Amino acid sequence: MSNRETFYITTPIYYPNDKLHIGHSYTTVAADALARFNRMKGLDVMFITGTDEHGQKIENTARKNGKTPKEYVDEIVASILELWKLMDISYDDFMRTTDERHIRVVQKIFTKLYEKGDIYKDKYEGLYCTPCESFWTEHQLVEGKCPDCGRDVQPVEEEAYFFRLSKYQDDLLKLMEENEEFIEPKSRRNEMINNFLKPGLEDLCVSRTSFKWGIPVPFDKDHVIYVWIDALSTYISVLGYMTENDEKYKKFWPADVHLVGKEIVRFHTIIWPAILMALGEPLPKKVFGHGWLVLEGGKMSKSKGNVVDPVVLIERYGLDPIRYFLLREVPFGSDGVFSNEALINRINSDLANDLGNLLSRTVTMIEKYFKGVLPSAVAPAPIDDDLKELAIDTRRKVEESMDSLEISNALVAIWELIGRANKYIDETTPWILAKDPSQQDRLGTVLYNLAETLRIISVLISPFMTKTPTKIREQLGLAEVDKFTSWKSLDSFGKVEAGTKVKKGDIIFPRLDVDKELEELEALLPTSSEEEEDLVNVAEISIEDFEKIDLRVAKVLSAEKVKNADKLLKLELEVGDETRTVVSGIAEYYKPEDLIDKNLVLVANLKPVKLRGILSQGMILAASDDEDNLVLVTVDDTIKSGSQVG
Ligand code: ME8
């Protein structure tokens, strides 16, 4: 990506049917980090986001809330704008699909495709999933349900306009097969080719008459335009496509990357390129389908009542720890798990211990040994080279990771440098040098190197964290000027100036008391998606799904309380020839000694998770009621451990 002058990045535009949760913030913070990084590298960046305000779902939600759709979305959009402000999202433009400037362009696009013959009128008979706003044919359903969300679909029959998606099937296949970079990560590309393109594309129904809350088809006012055509067009309407004012379109299109969640890759890599092909416009260079931030029991969703509110977290911990956590915890393309424990651990280990300590140790020593004035580096030693080289080389690693959208790896590289600098303190032992008058120059050099490394770190973290870089430089006594803050300033080691007066300030990341935080957070936020699920919302599963669950009889060999966790017991279980460790939240109901030799039922193939540092390999079954009773499911001891249940 190094030879370009512009960088155009988009997030999806969000449905304003409810307040956004931490999962939505992930997409936007990730795009923001990429936008900031590319700006720092000197590219002319266009970063857009917005809201996807039309469609039946919004119309229904508004009605339920006793509002008109516009009144309803206006309120939610205001909360979204506030959230992005709180999260320091540096978007260059924000497009609402209800904006006049967008509506006009969508109508022009629709008309152009109609005039070209790529949109035609016909009768629609099929199945519709209201929550996904998607039409399906019988053979696309999975066990009779929507293949995207698994919910019921309704039969519909009406006159509608269709987009000739099938016409672009071969071109789309060619695009995906020849251009390996078009969809990333690669696994998503294979999914698109094998699950959608190879079985064959059908023409897409692109208008509705059964509801009104949408952009009218300009030449047939009974119809509104299908919400995905409306939504996807944002990426070009925001640049002034098909208007007199289309300089931005000429400058920034095609997009360098559409950053989208994995469930909407299909819309972005099949429907969107086909529309662009039909319009005769260039295709985006890349669609990146990132993973989700999930709770330990599954995806966050409002209907399960288990969404994590980013505002609560930011008010409690500040913005940067939350931005850092989101970007660090979701690895390249895969899902990341949100848990209160994971968040607190990241804050304590990576931020308080590693980065916070490095700064406070360095500034404290400069104050203590040099009256707060940064000494010069007049006595280098070979041991310094490793740190200096890494400080310079980390920029390259960050650039490589960011250019390939491996955001969490970029942070891993920066934290390697932070770790190296902390190790350098232990290796050079400044407190011993301080006792020896002949070592004053050497001591000064060590502290100079640490201060400069911290300056470099402050620049390297700037795309990811928006408040901490300045806080670090304030303590180092550095002004906010290019020679200290720019990406270019990473080109050599030694930019901080001897004689600068450092200023020890507040601890930048105070250490958290894990137990206290966990207790308080548990009251504020859900920690698992299982908690609030009620029976009515539990989806039916097939026998094949059930057979995937490996239930086994497990005999308790030993049980003990988990230190500092009132609710947890650690169990050692005999499962046939195997011994398993399982951490279970049953301490309030069972004494450890009463469990010995009980035959329990274990979900043996549950993905292991770490709970309070202990790897829990499965889950034991228990029944509970809403009067707070809990009883473990047990099996007669005539059945051997390891036997299958089911
Ligand atoms: O899909 N973790 O809007 P949306 C990570 N309007 N990402 C998540 C997430 C989670 N737990 N939950 C949601 C739409 N997202 C359409 C887009 S674009 C032309 C139209 C991500 O509000 C999700 O994957 O349902 C998607 O990328 C984005 O939030 C918007 O979701």
Side-chain angles (χ1 to χ4, degrees):
M1 292 197 184
S2 50
N3 299 328
R4 281 195 330 269
E5 281 171 8
T6 61
F7 182 74
Y8 180 27
I9 181 166
T10 68
T11 71
I13 53 169
Y14 297 88
Y15 289 127
N17 47 5
D18 216 319
K19 266 174 38 185
L20 298 188
H21 58 63
I22 193 94
H24 299 114
S25 321
Y26 168 70
T27 316
T28 316
V29 170
D32 183 64
L34 289 162
R36 286 175 184 271
F37 164 76
N38 281 289
R39 276 190 209 109
M40 286 185 83
K41 274 202 338 188
L43 298 186
D44 195 346
V45 171
M46 174 61 71
F47 164 28
I48 73 122
T49 183
T51 40
D52 187 1
E53 305 187 13
H54 294 122
Q56 189 160 24
K57 197 157 63 173
I58 304 257
E59 194 179 83
N60 293 349
T61 318
R63 192 175 313 117
K64 264 191 240 146
N65 283 277
K67 304 214 161 95
T68 66
K70 186 69 168 67
E71 280 167 358
Y72 184 72
V73 291
D74 279 352
E75 271 176 31
I76 307 280
V77 172
S79 78
I80 294 177
L81 289 168
E82 256 173 56
L83 177 64
W84 295 157
K85 192 163 164 215
L86 181 69
M87 299 198 82
D88 271 347
I89 303 301
S90 62
Y91 56 79
D92 296 290
D93 204 343
F94 186 98
M95 182 59 106
R96 298 182 58 172
T97 54
T98 50
D99 282 353
E100 243 337 286
R101 63 181 175 138
H102 172 72
I103 293 173
R104 277 197 301 269
V105 175
V106 172
Q107 290 186 324
K108 283 188 191 164
I109 290 174
F110 200 91
T111 307
K112 181 165 175 187
L113 296 181
Y114 180 70
E115 284 168 356
K116 201 183 155 207
D118 271 346
I119 284 182
Y120 60 92
K121 198 170 183 179
D122 202 347
K123 199 153 129 210
Y124 181 79
E125 271 176 87
L127 301 152
Y128 187 66
C129 173
T130 308
C132 294
E133 320 244 6
S134 292
F135 295 96
W136 302 104
T137 55
E138 200 79 49
H139 83 259
Q140 288 174 314
L141 301 184
V142 175
E143 286 153 17
K145 311 268 180 186
C146 168
D148 274 354
C149 74
R151 278 178 277 209
D152 286 334
V153 291
Q154 279 78 41
V156 287
E157 188 189 310
E158 59 188 47
E159 267 207 329
Y161 288 89
F162 286 81
F163 172 60
R164 282 190 209 284
L165 188 59
S166 58
K167 176 175 158 189
Y168 295 97
Q169 148 121 10
D170 293 345
D171 289 339
L172 287 168
L173 198 57
K174 200 164 152 223
L175 163 73
M176 289 188 202
E177 284 179 341
E178 287 179 2
N179 184 349
E180 292 211 351
E181 297 200 336
F182 179 64
I183 308 181
E184 276 186 9
K186 277 209 176 63
S187 53
R188 308 213 197 284
R189 171 172 161 259
N190 300 340
E191 188 189 331
M192 291 304 123
I193 295 178
N194 298 329
N195 298 1
F196 294 101
L197 287 176
K198 291 216 165 134
L201 293 174
E202 296 182 30
D203 288 354
L204 181 73
C205 180
V206 289
S207 77
R208 301 297 319 269
T209 49
S210 55
F211 64 92
K212 289 271 159 263
W213 181 237
I215 300 181
V217 170
F219 46 86
D220 196 344
K221 295 278 170 9
D222 290 340
H223 291 254
V224 293
I225 296 173
Y226 174 52
V227 71
W228 273 97
I229 297 230
D230 171 0
L232 291 161
S233 304
T234 314
Y235 299 140
I236 52 179
S237 72
V238 73
L239 301 177
Y241 175 65
M242 282 182 119
T243 68
E244 300 100 79
N245 220 338
D246 64 354
E247 302 84 48
K248 283 191 188 148
Y249 180 74
K250 289 190 181 123
K251 180 167 175 190
F252 290 105
W253 190 257
D256 292 276
V257 54
H258 290 313
L259 197 61
V260 302
K262 60 183 180 181
E263 84 287 12
I264 56 174
V265 166
R266 186 172 67 87
F267 295 96
H268 284 79
T269 58
I270 295 180
I271 299 179
W272 181 225
I275 294 172
L276 290 163
M277 286 171 183
L279 289 169
E281 300 296 335
L283 306 184
K285 292 179 199 159
K286 191 188 298 300
V287 175
F288 183 83
H290 64 71
W292 288 331
L293 191 66
V294 296
L295 294 180
E296 264 157 359
K299 201 182 174 203
M300 281 176 227
S301 97
K302 187 69 191 175
S303 63
K304 289 189 199 163
N306 67 355
V307 290
V308 174
D309 184 348
V311 178
V312 172
L313 294 177
I314 294 166
E315 277 169 1
R316 203 172 169 86
Y317 302 114
L319 176 61
D320 279 353
I322 304 305
R323 284 182 61 114
Y324 174 77
F325 176 79
L326 290 173
L327 298 172
R328 178 69 186 74
E329 207 69 14
V330 182
F332 184 54
S334 5
D335 290 346
V337 178
F338 176 91
S339 73
N340 295 339
E341 202 170 357
L343 172 67
I344 294 165
N345 285 343
R346 281 271 173 228
I347 295 179
N348 273 350
S349 68
D350 300 9
L351 300 180
N353 273 7
D354 297 346
L355 179 54
N357 255 349
L358 177 64
L359 177 68
S360 84
R361 287 166 98 187
T362 303
V363 176
T364 304
M365 288 191 287
I366 297 171
E367 292 207 320
K368 191 165 163 199
Y369 304 137
F370 292 93
K371 298 198 175 73
V373 178
L374 185 68
S376 47
V378 287
I383 200 172
D384 304 343
D385 295 345
D386 196 32
L387 175 70
K388 289 191 200 170
E389 275 160 27
L390 191 64
I392 293 305
D393 198 38
T394 304
R395 168 197 181 170
R396 180 191 55 79
K397 292 189 193 164
V398 170
E399 287 177 357
E400 273 174 18
S401 298
M402 291 300 269
D403 284 344
S404 45
L405 309 178
E406 296 178 35
I407 303 179
S408 61
N409 283 350
L411 287 169
V412 170
I414 301 173
W415 257 256
E416 267 167 28
L417 174 61
I418 293 170
R420 184 68 194 85
N422 275 317
K423 190 166 156 229
Y424 177 76
I425 300 184
D426 300 337
E427 287 166 350
T428 52
T429 57
W431 51 93
I432 296 178
L433 297 176
K435 289 189 187 134
D436 182 348
S438 72
Q439 292 292 330
Q440 289 312 289
D441 282 353
R442 180 65 197 139
L443 175 63
T445 306
V446 166
L447 294 179
Y448 179 93
N449 289 341
L450 286 168
E452 172 66 354
T453 305
L454 272 161
R455 179 197 70 79
I456 288 176
I457 290 165
S458 80
V459 178
L460 289 168
I461 61 172
S462 306
F464 314 93
M465 299 194 187
T466 58
K467 319 269 187 211
T468 309
T470 314
K471 285 189 191 165
I472 294 178
R473 291 190 289 259
E474 252 168 31
Q475 298 213 14
L476 294 173
L478 301 175
E480 290 297 296
V481 290
D482 269 12
K483 70 173 168 180
F484 299 135
T485 65
S486 65
W487 203 255
K488 204 179 159 301
S489 77
L490 300 174
D491 60 1
S492 63
F493 195 93
K495 297 270 181 353
V496 294
E497 286 150 12
T500 306
K501 184 102 178 80
V502 303
K503 277 187 269 183
K504 192 158 170 53
D506 293 339
I507 300 281
I508 53 171
F509 299 111
R511 225 188 128 68
L512 303 170
D513 174 334
V514 181
D515 289 323
K516 179 171 158 281
E517 285 307 319
L518 280 180
E519 211 165 284
E520 291 182 16
L521 268 187
E522 251 150 53
L524 288 171
L525 298 169
T527 45
S528 132
S529 71
E530 290 147 344
E531 279 178 9
E532 320 232 345
E533 215 160 333
D534 57 36
L535 268 182
V536 195
N537 275 332
V538 176
E540 287 177 346
I541 60 165
S542 65
I543 186 78
E544 288 79 19
D545 286 337
F546 180 71
E547 277 169 358
K548 288 186 197 148
I549 305 171
D550 185 20
L551 296 175
R552 299 275 167 175
V553 175
K555 186 168 170 181
V556 181
L557 299 173
S558 69
E560 59 183 78
K561 287 199 154 221
V562 174
K563 229 175 102 203
N564 293 331
D566 297 342
K567 295 183 183 164
L568 301 180
L569 288 187
K570 176 181 159 196
L571 310 177
E572 294 297 332
L573 303 172
E574 174 196 284
V575 189
D577 296 333
E578 221 186 299
T579 305
R580 293 268 187 116
T581 303
V582 168
V583 176
S584 178
I586 53 169
E588 288 166 302
Y589 306 93
Y590 286 90
K591 288 202 200 102
E593 59 273 26
D594 295 343
L595 289 169
I596 310 297
D597 284 338
K598 267 194 196 301
N599 259 358
L600 307 178
V601 177
L602 173 77
V603 184
N605 60 340
L606 194 71
K607 198 170 164 190
V609 286
K610 256 200 174 163
L611 293 167
R612 295 297 170 97
I614 305 166
L615 190 69
S616 180
Q617 306 156 297
M619 179 177 81
I620 51 169
L621 297 188
S624 58
D625 63 19
D626 40 15
E627 252 122 52
D628 207 22
N629 298 307
L630 181 143
V631 177
L632 286 168
V633 177
T634 52
V635 175
D636 209 296
D637 59 11
T638 46
I639 300 283
K640 281 199 290 236
S641 83
S643 307
Q644 201 152 21
V645 182

